[in-house]
Amino acid sequence: MAEQFKTPMLDELEKGPWPSFISGFKRLRDDHPDKRINETANSLLGQLEHSYETRKGYWKGGTVSVFGYGSGIIPRFSEVADTFVASKEFHTVRVQPPAGNHYTTDMLRTLCDSWEKYGSGLITFHGQTGNIMFIGVDTENTQKFFDEINEYGWDLGGAGPCVRTGMSCMGAARCEMSCADEQQIHLRLMNNFTDDVHRPALPYKFKFKVSGCGNDCQNAIERSDMAILGTWRDDMKVNQTEVKNYINKKSRQYVIDNVTTRCPTNALTLNDDDTLTVDNKNCVRCMHCLNVMNKALSPGDDKGVTICIGGKRTLKIGDLMGTVVIPFKKLETEEDYESLVEFAEDIIDFWAENGLEHERTGEMIERIGIANFLDAIGVEVDPNMINHPRQSSYVRLDEWDAEAQKWFERKKAA
Ligand code: SF4
Ligand code: SF4
């Protein structure tokens, strides 16, 4: 290997009890059997140290893609390539993970082998968008790496103004709280929008995330433009024997302090005979009591999903949580799934036509108003549509009686 760059500032990041990404880079530099990877890691460490010394970043963008795709590769060219030659091109390849992040060891090993053949050996599982991030490949090998992994079934994720890589929790496959088939929802949506993932033609990014229950392990409500969250609408299931077992183990006071008094809507009553009563009409499905007493309490049988639109992180008008647009939707039959995909199409079509450049769906809704947005996507106003439980129904109160009357009539007709 050429001269090893000194890294006194980076070495500081290896101190302390935490795993250090610098130690990972050094392992690639010192221990990997492939000389090309050793040199790339050395060069990368050298450039990073230089950045820390001068307090400047030296990566610039450009255009790198693979045939037939407009997105999926994040180009990185070094501005100090003369000194740090081996990492002068250090592009990132975004690859879509399987729904629910269900991998086999064999899959992971095969992916790693391909990456070590063409790239730097550095991988992030997973980036903030949900992709597997293969970090560090030159322009020539980008196509070769993609061709190889595509051959055995992997596809690029989104980057730029397009539908982004979807995410779903492991859900029904392994989690007792699941109220939906997360993988099915994920697969149907992403398969339908494949073209919009690969060819950026939208005002900005659009993300789908699917969580099987209100615990929202995917952070869908605050991180995705269309969040699909599992829920139930009948009564929560209560196993009174397990309630008693729990009380015997933890005490009545513990249940009062940690379960009943922490219910946000006071929907739980611990009775004198050590049984638990749930006021299901007032339960907002926050999941707290089910998480604490997970043997005693479980979701009901009438399961479906809630759909929230417009969540996003910072930029411009700041963080937005998704707004409930469909309070409850059954997802059982082929038609149910088709209508979910059509609903997503309606939203994306409307936003593509009406969103300003670099404007997320949530920002567009803020600008044009929720009433106009609902009208455009053909959804009737419903008092169950809320921003915060029990606080801010966005049905205007000055027309409340009329709206409530319409809602009751729809309910009667249904
Ligand atoms: Fe389980 Fe709910 Fe988390 Fe999905 S979101 S993994 S169903 S707890
Ligand atoms: Fe209360 Fe939440 Fe339990 Fe419902 S799920 S009863 S709102 S703690």
Side-chain angles (χ1 to χ4, degrees):
M1 185 168 61
E3 178 208 357
Q4 186 166 306
F5 292 107
K6 301 249 177 313
T7 55
M9 294 180 89
L10 299 184
D11 296 348
E12 292 296 312
L13 299 178
E14 291 186 280
K15 295 179 179 163
W18 312 278
S20 164
F21 69 106
I22 298 299
S23 306
F25 287 3
K26 286 186 180 171
R27 275 199 297 278
L28 287 173
R29 181 191 66 187
D30 302 333
D31 304 336
H32 199 281
D34 187 333
K35 204 161 156 288
R36 183 188 57 81
I37 290 185
N38 304 147
E39 281 177 3
T40 309
N42 180 41
S43 179
L44 179 69
L45 282 161
Q47 176 166 333
L48 193 55
E49 179 76 19
H50 182 55
S51 272
Y52 277 39
E53 278 164 4
T54 55
R55 300 187 182 197
K56 275 169 82 176
Y58 293 98
W59 297 116
K60 59 180 175 183
T63 310
V64 179
S65 197
V66 296
F67 289 117
Y69 285 64
S71 74
I73 315 288
I74 321 283
R76 289 286 177 267
F77 293 93
S78 173
E79 290 179 328
V80 281
D82 290 349
T83 316
F84 308 105
V85 184
S87 58
K88 67 177 182 191
E89 292 178 1
F90 213 73
H91 316 313
T92 293
V93 182
R94 285 186 171 173
V95 173
Q96 294 192 43
N101 293 341
H102 293 282
Y103 296 95
T104 63
T105 313
D106 186 47
M107 267 187 217
L108 292 170
R109 285 193 202 288
T110 318
L111 274 176
C112 290
D113 288 347
S114 296
W115 184 235
E116 291 190 345
K117 196 153 121 199
Y118 298 109
S120 70
L122 282 175
I123 311 178
T124 302
F125 279 95
H126 303 83
Q128 295 280 4
T129 41
N131 294 286
I132 318 169
M133 308 284 274
F134 291 92
I135 305 169
V137 66
D138 61 21
T139 308
E140 187 191 337
N141 281 317
T142 302
Q143 182 75 49
K144 291 181 187 162
F145 172 68
F146 169 69
D147 288 344
E148 185 164 308
I149 63 166
N150 190 238
E151 190 64 32
Y152 55 79
W154 298 86
D155 199 3
L156 293 188
C162 62
V163 172
R164 295 293 186 87
T165 299
M167 295 235 34
S168 50
C169 70
M170 61 175 184
R174 295 175 63 193
C175 178
E176 63 205 340
M177 300 301 177
S178 171
C179 298
D181 185 344
E182 303 81 3
Q183 277 82 76
Q184 180 81 242
I185 300 168
H186 182 156
L187 187 78
R188 299 239 182 186
L189 288 169
M190 294 321 292
N191 279 356
N192 187 73
F193 290 101
T194 299
D195 198 40
D196 293 293
V197 173
H198 298 321
R199 281 162 273 280
L202 296 173
Y204 199 20
K205 57 183 108 165
F206 190 97
K207 299 183 179 181
F208 292 108
K209 293 195 195 295
V210 188
S211 284
C213 75
N215 281 329
D216 195 5
C217 293
Q218 286 306 320
N219 298 332
I221 196 162
E222 72 246 35
R223 299 202 63 109
S224 62
D225 301 86
M226 179 159 166
I228 298 120
L229 305 160
T231 190
W232 69 97
R233 65 181 167 184
D234 57 345
D235 293 351
M236 184 192 304
K237 288 196 256 186
V238 185
N239 180 332
Q240 298 294 0
T241 312
E242 288 296 345
V243 172
K244 288 198 171 103
N245 289 344
Y246 192 83
I247 292 168
N248 287 339
K249 201 163 127 210
K250 296 281 197 180
S251 81
R252 272 181 72 83
Q253 195 56 44
Y254 184 92
V255 174
I256 291 166
D257 291 345
N258 292 284
V259 185
T260 53
T261 52
R262 296 205 179 171
C263 169
T265 55
N266 285 330
L268 293 169
T269 309
L270 183 58
N271 304 309
D272 293 342
D273 60 355
D274 285 354
T275 56
L276 193 69
T277 304
V278 184
D279 175 3
N280 284 284
K281 282 217 153 38
N282 279 310
C283 164
V284 288
R285 279 63 171 161
C286 81
M287 300 301 292
H288 171 69
C289 60
L290 294 96
N291 291 337
V292 181
M293 301 176 71
N294 48 31
K295 279 192 181 163
L297 305 173
S298 15
D301 289 321
D302 191 5
K303 293 172 176 171
V305 294
T306 296
I307 301 176
C308 302
I309 304 293
K312 64 174 265 295
R313 284 306 318 276
T314 37
L315 288 179
K316 299 196 282 283
I317 63 170
D319 289 20
L320 289 176
M321 301 282 264
T323 298
V324 175
V325 164
I326 305 284
F328 187 87
K329 176 171 177 55
K330 285 298 266 186
L331 280 182
E332 282 174 347
T333 62
E334 188 59 32
E335 290 77 47
D336 294 338
Y337 282 102
E338 275 169 17
S339 69
L340 175 76
V341 171
E342 277 163 21
F343 183 62
E345 280 174 352
D346 289 346
I347 290 171
I348 291 182
D349 286 351
F350 179 75
W351 168 64
E353 294 252 316
N354 296 283
L356 303 176
E357 202 185 317
H358 233 249
E359 185 177 57
R360 296 281 292 268
T361 326
E363 291 161 340
M364 178 193 69
I365 296 171
E366 291 273 314
R367 178 170 56 82
I368 66 172
I370 187 79
N372 288 330
F373 175 69
L374 292 175
D375 194 34
I377 59 170
V379 172
E380 297 253 21
V381 173
D382 182 322
N384 291 312
M385 297 170 174
I386 46 166
N387 276 333
H388 298 284
R390 309 230 140 191
Q391 285 171 19
S392 59
S393 173
Y394 52 69
V395 178
R396 282 183 59 148
L397 292 180
D398 51 0
E399 289 171 16
W400 172 257
D401 291 344
E403 288 301 335
Q405 192 53 41
K406 277 197 241 161
W407 182 68
F408 282 123
E409 274 156 22
R410 281 203 302 279
K411 288 271 279 187
K412 246 191 277 166

